[in-house]
Amino acid sequence: MIQSEMRLSDPDQLVLAYPRAMMCFVLFQPQPAHILMVGLGGGSLVKFCHRYLPHSRITVLELRADVIALREQFAIPPDDARLRIIHADASDYLKRCEELADVLLIDGFDELGLPPALGSNSFYRHCRRVLRPGGVLVANIFSYDPAYTDMRMRLNAAFDGQLCRFHGIAGNNHLLFAVAGKQATPALGMLRRVQRSTLFAFGALNRLLAHWVVRRLERGRPARL
């Protein structure tokens, strides 16, 4: 599975389907103040958010120092007032984290897939704790991961059943969207719409939706349904 790809003529462009699909978090949180990412990889999501969500502060947790060392080759901007890339084990970092986030993106794969620590009960509970009410988590899980069903059940339990998915939006990358808190927030309202509507059961429509979201952001316009 190719999980990161960059167009040299436009390094900030989202080339692959799955990072475009992950950007659908803006349907739940259109203007997040703080985005927390687990996994740097080739930096596609970091670069896009840094450029097209100018009011968002971004914190990235990356386990491998050699991945961070490649940031310049992948045109990832240097740390500044809005961007921090931290060399850390996300499962340990979130245990101690006291700073809240509006968006939490879980995309921390290694050569064997998603590490078990990033799909455990305790990890998902810590994810829930660091999100503000109405905050949204997006978890990228391979559809053929033997632990997929267990991880989905754990995530569903940690977020009290406030979980949804846009079917077929990114092939074998299954993206699970979870919303924190039971208060009546726009994010929870969006989640209920996805859970109820049959429109989000069609992969082709959902892939078009992801393209639409990305194009709206590139043009400086809000992506709201």
Side-chain angles (χ1 to χ4, degrees):
M1 293 289 289
I2 296 174
Q3 290 295 104
S4 188
E5 188 172 330
M6 180 179 73
R7 182 162 285 125
L8 294 175
S9 60
D10 188 0
D12 296 337
Q13 185 179 3
L14 294 179
V15 179
L16 300 178
Y18 102 84
R20 288 196 299 268
M22 291 193 78
M23 287 305 304
C24 286
F25 72 75
V26 299
L27 298 173
F28 302 81
Q29 278 282 344
Q31 293 183 315
H34 183 208
I35 301 170
L36 180 58
M37 301 185 182
V38 174
L40 174 63
S44 299
L45 285 167
V46 177
K47 290 182 291 184
F48 189 87
C49 290
H50 190 264
R51 179 172 177 179
Y52 294 111
L53 294 174
H55 301 295
S56 299
R57 189 165 49 85
I58 305 163
T59 303
V60 186
L61 309 177
E62 172 54 54
L63 178 63
R64 293 177 52 171
D66 56 341
V67 171
I68 298 174
L70 293 171
R71 65 185 294 173
E72 291 186 6
Q73 295 185 45
F74 284 90
I76 298 170
D79 284 11
D80 57 22
R82 292 182 48 235
L83 173 62
R84 285 190 307 157
I85 296 178
I86 301 173
H87 180 208
D89 183 322
S91 59
D92 290 333
Y93 183 93
L94 291 183
K95 289 178 186 177
R96 305 185 305 273
C97 183
E98 296 181 358
E99 187 178 22
L100 298 180
D102 303 285
V103 173
L104 177 52
L105 305 179
I106 311 298
D107 191 31
F109 288 88
D110 60 22
E111 63 275 12
L112 299 177
L114 189 67
L118 300 186
S120 67
N121 283 316
S122 60
F123 179 74
Y124 288 142
R125 287 196 299 269
H126 290 304
C127 288
R128 168 64 187 84
R129 181 182 58 79
V130 301
L131 283 170
R132 293 188 178 95
V136 61
L137 174 146
V138 187
N140 180 17
I141 305 174
F142 288 152
S143 61
Y144 50 79
D145 191 317
Y148 172 81
T149 300
D150 290 339
M151 286 189 285
R152 180 167 181 162
M153 291 175 63
R154 292 171 196 150
L155 186 57
N156 190 62
F159 282 79
D160 300 315
Q162 295 176 176
L163 186 70
C164 70
R165 182 167 75 87
F166 297 86
H167 293 273
I169 198 170
N172 284 322
N173 293 87
H174 280 203
L175 307 183
L176 304 178
F177 291 75
V179 172
K182 296 184 178 181
Q183 299 93 323
T185 59
L188 186 56
M190 180 64 202
L191 181 132
R192 297 301 186 210
R193 289 178 65 187
V194 178
Q195 287 178 329
R196 291 194 301 260
S197 177
T198 57
L199 288 175
F200 300 107
F202 296 96
L205 289 178
N206 288 331
R207 290 190 290 274
L208 287 174
L209 174 65
H211 275 282
W212 177 81
V213 164
V214 168
R215 292 293 174 262
R216 295 284 293 185
L217 293 173
E218 288 174 339
R219 294 168 184 168
R221 298 176 181 176
R224 293 188 177 93
L225 292 179

